[in-house]
Amino acid sequence: MDMPYDTLQTQRRMDPSISNLLRQTIYPDLGDHTCVTPYPSIPGIRKRLYWVDHNEPEMNMNRSESLETSRGNDREAEFVAALVTYLLRQGLHGSDDIVILTPYAQQLRKLESLLSGSFDVVLDDKDTIELDQRELTQTSLDIDGGNASLVSANLPSSTPASASSKRIRISTVDNFQGEEASVAIISLVRNNPEKSCGFLQTTNRINVLLR
């Protein structure tokens, strides 16, 4: 059935270096409004867009669980926590400027557990309900079945007042749709011998993530 539709032609949110990812893959005719070109620079960051690669494998916290939300990556969570601490020390203002996004509920819980000792973590109501429904704990379970182990990162044991008073927002990608932040740190989690990225290979999910 043919249905009428409109395609976005001009975007007014993303820096051109980010919208260019959409032009190269999904929306070849997407244009940038002039309002996105004079965005101020981010303190302590040279470029607008970075990709960080690593070799640490993901973990499926429950091998009998087929849902994609059971994925997590300890090393990636540690890196995100260290990056947030660095950015706050450059003068960014917590949840007013920074959001941490991940497609996976398990990684959301890892990040919450890791950051809650140093920051006031803000979760979306929908994410909180989902985590409660899945009965996830504040600790990460090791991959072989059941021994609780805390994720550890090189966060300061005594966080300066200027950082400890900051509120950091963490959200799943789906529950952040339509909202904005000056800095988005995205933890994609996936790294496995099969080179499988699960639902992250779906075009519309990546579209939501980038926009």
Side-chain angles (χ1 to χ4, degrees):
M1 178 183 297
D2 292 331
M3 299 291 291
Y5 66 91
D6 292 315
T7 301
L8 178 69
Q9 297 294 329
T10 304
Q11 66 89 17
R12 293 173 167 81
R13 297 176 61 177
M14 297 171 284
D15 183 84
S17 64
I18 300 174
S19 61
N20 192 46
L21 297 175
L22 291 172
R23 274 188 291 274
Q24 293 175 357
T25 55
I26 304 173
Y27 295 119
D29 299 323
L30 181 65
D32 299 318
H33 192 271
T34 55
C35 67
V36 302
T37 54
Y39 281 157
S41 59
I42 302 298
I45 299 294
R46 184 173 299 176
K47 299 187 297 183
R48 292 282 182 186
L49 177 66
Y50 282 92
W51 296 95
V52 179
D53 191 19
H54 63 81
N55 295 320
E56 292 298 319
E58 68 189 57
M59 288 162 293
N60 185 335
M61 308 315 293
N62 182 351
R63 287 180 176 178
S64 65
E65 177 63 77
S66 61
L67 294 175
E68 296 282 357
T69 50
S70 63
R71 307 287 176 173
N73 193 305
D74 283 350
R75 178 58 59 85
E76 207 164 282
E78 292 175 2
F79 180 87
V80 168
L83 179 58
V84 167
T85 301
Y86 168 78
L87 289 173
L88 291 179
R89 287 174 173 170
Q90 308 311 305
L92 294 179
H93 301 288
S95 60
D96 292 335
D97 289 330
I98 303 171
V99 65
I100 303 171
L101 301 176
T102 181
Y104 298 99
Q106 181 63 46
Q107 188 74 345
L108 185 77
R109 179 61 84 193
K110 282 180 177 291
L111 290 164
E112 180 196 19
S113 297
L114 190 57
L115 290 166
S116 60
S118 301
F119 306 104
D120 181 10
V121 174
V122 179
L123 293 179
D124 183 274
D125 288 342
K126 293 180 181 178
D127 286 326
T128 301
I129 292 172
E130 181 178 355
L131 291 176
D132 289 342
Q133 288 175 340
R134 296 184 182 281
E135 299 180 346
L136 297 175
T137 66
Q138 294 293 328
T139 57
S140 299
L141 302 179
D142 68 44
I143 192 169
D144 286 324
N147 295 321
S149 59
L150 287 174
V151 180
S152 175
N154 294 321
L155 294 179
S157 57
S158 178
T159 308
S162 59
S164 63
S165 62
K166 302 296 185 181
R167 303 172 74 229
I168 295 298
R169 178 164 186 191
I170 309 174
S171 176
T172 54
V173 173
D174 289 345
N175 288 332
F176 195 71
Q177 288 190 60
E179 302 191 50
E180 298 182 6
S182 298
V183 176
I185 302 172
I186 304 171
S187 177
L188 295 176
V189 175
R190 304 307 299 267
N191 185 7
N192 53 73
E194 296 79 18
K195 298 183 179 180
S196 170
C197 59
F199 63 68
L200 293 180
Q201 65 185 325
T202 307
T203 301
N204 64 327
R205 300 302 291 273
I206 293 300
N207 184 33
V208 169
L209 172 66
L210 293 175
R211 295 174 60 185

